[in-house]
Amino acid sequence: MTPAAGTTMAQALNAALRDALDGDERVLVFGEDVGPLGGVFRVTDGLTAKFGEDRCFDTPLAESGIVGFAVGMAMGGFRPVVEMQFDAFAYPAFEQIASHVAKMRNRTRGRVELPIVIRIPYAGGIGGVEHHCDSSEGYYAHTPGLKVVTPATVADAYSLLREAIDDPDPVIFLEPKKLYWSKAQVALPARTEPFGRAAIRRPGADATVVAYGPAVPVALEAAEAAAEEGWDLEVLDLRTIVPFDDDTVVASVRRTGRCVVLSEAAGFGGVGAEIAARVQERCFHSLLAPVLRVTGFDIPYPPPMLEHHHLPSVDRILDALDRLQRDDEPDTRYLLAGGVA
């Protein structure tokens, strides 16, 4: 049932965990303060009370140990869902993730599955400091063997987390902290598109803005501001970084002829760079302007009073639109009718 005031993303995630625990006794939830406290962001609120300390429990403050324990539990037939309290807190566990979680299926020629979900609250916009606001998706997306998921809507938060828990392979589930309190009128349980399908959140004709996670609401706000200046932007929400939906991205960019990639993470060597490269490789003859990126700066995460300069903003997106050579005479020789080249 949907509360009259709407469901928050945190409540949707809580419902997904609750339903997964209720539906499969192999599902376990553990991490730092996820038990009686309900987690720093209350995503696990009430789960210990309902399912007991054997199904939802606290761990020591040792992230490498948490993930290593999850590997053993998964090999023993369980489906662990672990929480890293903040994004950069997961770095001590990265050796376990990169060397064992990601490689176990390949290492055992498919004989050993690791159905582990590693939930990571990530990205900025909450006035936090370094170690609390990193956008670490690039590390995981660059590690073969991991799926990397990041919802931007309340319905996706529920649906993608349920799919992650059901997945036979490890999933890095990145939760945008600043969207925990976003609300929507959603009837749960909800099922949206599966992994590997991007969503067009706003159709448009003049340029495609590719975004994911916390950048999606910013892209939509920029699209409304751009409309006042005569731009009709299409906003594309990737939903899953790995697997990547090339088909939807390519079809959109070939239709609009221009592309801006939006990401909170640092621009150098990041997911935004990979997206720009893939668009360039697949849409070159349909592009009317260079692919541009609007990202965080190539610096450690700044103090709270400065984060609004660091994070992609509506103004920075509008500045990028001005650089898309809209007033230049386009070369339309390779654009076919219907937008498919």
Side-chain angles (χ1 to χ4, degrees):
M1 178 179 295
T2 303
T7 300
T8 67
M9 180 176 283
Q11 290 171 332
L13 293 166
N14 179 275
L17 292 170
R18 187 181 299 267
D19 291 347
L21 284 162
D22 203 33
D24 187 344
E25 63 181 10
R26 298 172 300 169
V27 176
L28 306 174
V29 175
F30 52 92
E32 296 162 358
D33 294 328
V34 303
L37 179 66
V40 171
F41 298 100
R42 301 298 185 267
V43 172
T44 57
D45 195 28
L47 299 183
T48 298
K50 177 174 176 59
F51 297 99
E53 293 184 344
D54 290 338
R55 303 284 308 282
C56 180
F57 52 90
D58 292 332
T59 64
L61 305 181
E63 291 80 7
S64 180
I66 295 170
V67 175
F69 183 56
V71 170
M73 295 295 286
M75 294 177 71
F78 292 92
R79 306 184 79 87
V81 181
V82 305
E83 177 180 305
M84 300 285 109
Q85 201 165 67
F86 286 96
D87 28 64
F89 289 13
Y91 298 159
F94 192 73
E95 195 278 332
Q96 287 283 349
I97 296 171
S99 296
H100 304 297
V101 173
K103 294 182 173 65
M104 190 63 72
R105 175 183 284 279
N106 188 67
R107 182 181 296 154
T108 61
R109 299 182 180 181
R111 289 193 294 270
V112 177
E113 299 177 343
L114 289 185
I116 300 173
V117 178
I118 301 176
R119 296 180 40 245
I120 304 177
Y122 88 118
I126 63 166
V129 296
E130 64 165 307
H131 271 69
H132 293 73
C133 293
D134 275 4
S135 292
S136 50
E137 64 270 26
Y139 304 128
Y140 306 110
H142 192 65
T143 303
L146 301 176
K147 295 184 175 74
V148 183
V149 177
T150 179
T153 69
V154 173
D156 263 354
Y158 179 91
S159 183
L160 291 174
L161 184 53
R162 290 299 306 273
E163 185 174 353
I165 295 171
D166 290 340
D167 199 285
D169 291 310
V171 177
I172 303 296
F173 197 87
L174 297 166
E175 301 169 2
K177 292 192 292 290
K178 73 176 183 181
L179 300 185
Y180 273 142
W181 303 279
S182 61
K183 289 184 177 180
Q185 293 289 339
V186 175
L188 300 178
R191 281 294 183 182
T192 58
E193 291 293 305
F195 286 0
R197 300 272 183 83
I200 304 294
R201 299 299 182 197
R202 182 188 192 279
D206 294 334
T208 300
V209 180
V210 181
Y212 56 88
V216 173
V218 182
L220 290 169
E221 186 180 354
E224 294 306 311
E228 298 178 2
E229 299 182 7
W231 282 90
D232 184 19
L233 299 185
E234 182 150 296
V235 176
L236 190 151
D237 174 7
L238 285 178
R239 303 175 66 247
T240 62
I241 299 171
V242 182
F244 188 88
D245 185 359
D246 281 306
D247 291 345
T248 301
V249 174
V250 167
S252 176
V253 176
R254 286 182 176 176
R255 189 169 55 250
T256 65
R258 295 178 174 85
C259 180
V260 175
V261 180
L262 195 57
S263 169
E264 280 195 18
F268 187 86
V271 169
E274 172 65 21
I275 297 169
R278 299 178 85 88
V279 170
Q280 182 84 358
E281 290 167 354
R282 291 162 174 78
C283 305
F284 182 77
H285 291 300
S286 300
L287 288 172
L288 305 174
V291 179
L292 299 180
R293 289 173 291 158
V294 180
T295 71
F297 300 128
D298 295 331
I299 58 172
Y301 200 83
M305 67 179 65
L306 298 176
E307 72 171 351
H308 64 286
H309 295 295
H310 175 74
L311 298 173
S313 64
V314 170
D315 286 344
R316 288 177 61 195
I317 297 169
L318 296 179
D319 287 344
L321 294 177
D322 288 339
R323 294 163 52 208
L324 284 178
Q325 304 175 12
R326 189 184 190 193
D327 295 331
D328 292 356
E329 189 66 27
D331 181 352
T332 59
R333 290 174 296 172
Y334 299 100
L335 284 178
L336 301 181
V340 178

